[in-house]
Amino acid sequence: MKPGHGEIVLAEGDVGIPAEELQLIEAFRRELDAGMWAAVPTEGLAGRREAELVKSFDEVPRDAERVIFFPRAAGGAAPVGR
Amino acid sequence: MALPLGTAAVLLLALFFELARPRLRRSLTRARVAVARVRRERAEESYDPGRERRAEQRARALLRSCVNEEDWEIYSELGFLRVLGPVGAPAGDSPAPYAYLIYPHKPIVAYVPATGELLSEYCVTFPDHSRPFGSSRLPHSDDVLAKWMAITADERRLIGEANMHLPGRQVEPERVRRDLARLARWERERSERELGGVRAA
């Protein structure tokens, strides 16, 4: 997710193919180095969908369809306006 | 005396200009390229309602692909998401002790589902750290999805990062109560529809 633009595909590939996995790892590291959070949409035990934050490529489930990067959360202090 | 000196000065100036001409030309070209780049960047950053609309459409599709069907219906019809707390707890017979309402570009509102009592507001943003000043915002649905992912992945961390305020600081309590009433009506109608569907079957 990129402010002002929305969703942008950064990299696509098959983790089973070493060259493509390398590209995915590079893209993953680049985004985390830029201060983004990485999340993988998953399904919880109760069948409800949720997300899992991952801090390294090794934590990404091998069968994950995608990793979503989004800006790191910060406490907002927007002015009070009604 | 003045004429030879003047001629020499003119010749010196011409020589200097001739020597400096390649460097001046390169500097001029660099300046032109830089100006063109700045103009291009400004054009890309300028307000484009079409781009924002397309970004929001993509964001809605992404949100829909991540959340439950019921949550998507709530968002598309009512304009907010509801997350029951504690996040990750197995669904039991007892009602959730608290829940969150996630609005686009507004604080997350915590409340008690059983009574409708508003607990607090958690103000959280997702700023573009690469451009800290004057950066654009995420599309509405991306903001909602970012909050949803952060809260379902690590509720405590997000709440820890957020600035907590009493209810009513940024989101009108009346608006939240109206939304909770709309949500209750929506859930009632949905269960009636499902019941009707079962009876018809």
Side-chain angles (χ1 to χ4, degrees), chain B residues 178-189:
Chain B
R178 269 200 310 274
D179 285 342
L180 290 176
R182 290 167 65 217
L183 179 59
R185 193 165 56 242
W186 183 89
E187 286 185 312
R188 207 167 42 243
E189 287 171 1

Side-chain angles (χ1 to χ4, degrees), chain A residues 3-5 48 66 74 76 82, chain B residues 58 65 71 125 136-137 163 168:
Chain A
H5 292 266
R48 289 201 67 79
R66 62 199 159 164
R82 293 184 178 180
Chain B
R58 286 197 301 273
S65 69
D71 292 335
T125 58
S136 316
R137 299 194 306 177
N163 288 337

Side-chain angles (χ1 to χ4, degrees), chain A residues 4-5, chain B residues 43-58 139:
Chain A
H5 292 266
Chain B
E44 284 172 3
E45 288 167 7
S46 62
Y47 180 69
D48 172 5
R51 188 187 69 199
E52 292 195 352
R53 197 184 63 243
R54 290 189 298 275
E56 177 57 24
Q57 283 170 348
R58 286 197 301 273

Side-chain angles (χ1 to χ4, degrees), chain B residues 21-71:
Chain B
R21 199 163 64 172
R23 189 175 289 178
L24 280 171
R25 189 174 286 170
R26 279 199 299 274
S27 299
L28 205 62
T29 307
R30 273 202 298 271
R32 277 193 193 131
V33 169
V35 167
R37 193 179 64 234
V38 168
R39 280 187 183 154
R40 197 170 54 243
E41 284 175 1
R42 281 187 185 161
E44 284 172 3
E45 288 167 7
S46 62
Y47 180 69
D48 172 5
R51 188 187 69 199
E52 292 195 352
R53 197 184 63 243
R54 290 189 298 275
E56 177 57 24
Q57 283 170 348
R58 286 197 301 273
R60 285 176 72 84
L62 184 64
L63 175 63
R64 184 175 191 175
S65 69
C66 290
V67 301
N68 290 291
E69 190 55 36
E70 182 189 342
D71 292 335

Side-chain angles (χ1 to χ4, degrees), chain A residues 14-36:
Chain A
D14 184 346
V15 287
I17 301 169
E20 291 187 7
E21 186 182 21
L22 209 60
Q23 283 183 347
L24 295 174
I25 292 171
E26 279 173 12
F28 186 93
R29 284 185 184 152
R30 201 168 49 239
E31 292 306 307
L32 258 61
D33 287 346
M36 303 290 268

Side-chain angles (χ1 to χ4, degrees), chain B residues 27-179:
Chain B
S27 299
L28 205 62
T29 307
R30 273 202 298 271
R32 277 193 193 131
V33 169
V35 167
R37 193 179 64 234
V38 168
R39 280 187 183 154
R40 197 170 54 243
E41 284 175 1
R42 281 187 185 161
E44 284 172 3
E45 288 167 7
S46 62
Y47 180 69
D48 172 5
R51 188 187 69 199
E52 292 195 352
R53 197 184 63 243
R54 290 189 298 275
E56 177 57 24
Q57 283 170 348
R58 286 197 301 273
R60 285 176 72 84
L62 184 64
L63 175 63
R64 184 175 191 175
S65 69
C66 290
V67 301
N68 290 291
E69 190 55 36
E70 182 189 342
D71 292 335
W72 168 251
E73 285 176 18
I74 291 173
Y75 180 72
S76 60
E77 289 179 32
L78 306 180
F80 55 84
L81 274 187
R82 186 260 322 264
V83 176
L84 297 174
V87 176
D93 292 334
S94 54
Y98 63 92
Y100 301 105
L101 293 183
I102 301 177
Y103 292 99
H105 297 299
K106 290 269 182 199
I108 297 169
V109 178
Y111 72 101
V112 180
T115 61
E117 182 193 356
L118 305 186
L119 298 173
S120 45
E121 288 183 2
Y122 295 98
C123 193
V124 62
T125 58
F126 298 92
D128 186 353
H129 293 284
S130 63
R131 297 170 59 202
F133 303 107
S135 64
S136 316
R137 299 194 306 177
L138 287 172
H140 279 33
S141 299
D142 271 351
D143 182 72
V144 168
L145 177 58
K147 286 172 183 160
W148 178 85
M149 288 194 296
I151 210 164
T152 59
D154 197 339
E155 180 185 3
R156 284 191 176 193
R157 184 176 180 181
L158 184 74
I159 295 308
E161 297 271 353
N163 288 337
M164 191 187 84
H165 298 290
L166 292 172
R169 182 177 161 88
Q170 286 193 59
V171 186
E172 286 270 10
E174 272 312 304
R175 176 194 171 166
V176 180
R177 290 193 187 100
R178 269 200 310 274
D179 285 342

